[in-house]
Amino acid sequence: MSVSVPSSVPLSAPVSSSDAPARPIGVIRVLTSEDPAAVATHGKALEERYGLPTVSRCIPGQPHGIHDDDSEARAEPKIVDLARELADAGARTLIISCAADPALQKTRQAVGIPVIGAGSAAAAVALGLGSRIGVLGIRDEAPPAVRAVLGDHFAASARPDGVHRTTDLLAPEGPAAVMEAAAGLVASGADTLLLACTGLNTIGIRPLLEERLGVPVVDPVLAAGLLASYAYGG
């Protein structure tokens, strides 16, 4: 499938994933889009899985999200600013929906509420499921935030062929490339897979990977939601 991702959405226009109560979980998207449904995708997944009220917003000016050191550096101050806006508007907990955990510590210092990074959350959940964790992402190396949590349980990392940005996952050949890279990690000895790009939640490939490869697959969006369910307190 071919999907065009528009360039921006005004920060002043919140995108609610539902008719959320006054103190929802704020989901910070690092992929810029003008499509409210696209921005709300990860928040919807959390509502359906955990019954969590969410409001989703995206940072401006990054139509391909975070995919290298430069795009991450440009995103960090935008993430902190958006986190402050969400906290001031009444969010009880924040999720940075990116497996690189960009600006996580800076954001925690800037707001007085819990902030969860999708990458470290996924790594923590993966450690509860296996001992040799294969990391599947959009960079040649696993995100440092993920490696730091996995420690000696990190087995290997892989990037799907032809995928360098999260938007590449939406290309017709994206899912097949993901499957091939994941199969390679399992063949090399990984007993659990960690999806180190939240765009892999967007394309909904986790169930297919588990079915075909026979190992647990940790989705970073759902892992962040699991921790958020503790921080939110019901």
Side-chain angles (χ1 to χ4, degrees):
M1 61 183 170
S2 177
V3 177
S4 174
V5 180
S7 60
S8 65
V9 64
L11 281 177
S12 59
V15 180
S16 295
S17 298
S18 72
D19 294 328
R23 292 178 60 79
I25 291 173
V27 180
I28 297 175
R29 299 294 308 278
V30 301
L31 175 68
T32 308
S33 174
E34 291 178 341
D35 180 357
V39 174
T41 299
H42 295 171
K44 284 287 189 182
L46 300 184
E47 292 185 354
E48 292 170 2
R49 179 83 172 211
Y50 304 110
L52 297 172
T54 67
V55 58
S56 299
R57 301 275 297 278
C58 67
I59 63 174
Q62 303 212 198
H64 298 292
I66 291 175
H67 51 86
D68 56 20
D69 291 343
D70 177 66
S71 58
E72 183 170 350
R74 287 187 288 110
E76 287 193 345
K78 304 173 190 177
I79 291 168
V80 174
D81 288 344
L82 181 51
R84 287 194 178 105
E85 291 183 23
L86 287 165
D88 289 345
R92 183 182 296 180
T93 302
L94 297 177
I95 291 174
I96 300 175
S97 193
C98 176
D101 286 4
L104 178 58
Q105 297 306 322
K106 294 176 183 177
T107 304
R108 285 174 171 170
Q109 292 170 3
V111 299
I113 57 177
V115 183
I116 298 163
S120 52
V125 172
L127 288 177
L129 296 171
S131 58
R132 290 183 52 79
I133 315 301
V135 178
L136 182 65
I138 60 172
R139 300 202 207 184
D140 291 327
E141 298 181 353
V146 169
R147 287 290 305 268
V149 175
L150 293 181
D152 293 340
H153 295 284
F154 170 74
S157 64
R159 175 181 57 79
D161 186 47
V163 174
H164 299 276
R165 305 179 299 193
T166 188
T167 46
D168 294 334
L169 295 167
L170 301 171
E173 61 275 14
V178 171
M179 181 62 67
E180 182 179 1
L185 287 171
V186 173
S188 70
D191 62 15
T192 301
L193 294 179
L194 187 160
L195 304 183
C197 175
T198 56
L200 290 163
N201 171 278
T202 305
I203 67 172
I205 202 167
R206 172 181 168 265
L208 183 61
L209 292 174
E210 290 191 329
E211 177 185 348
R212 293 193 180 178
L213 300 177
V215 300
V217 179
V218 179
D219 181 308
V221 175
L222 298 182
L226 177 62
L227 300 193
S229 70
Y230 283 89
Y232 185 73

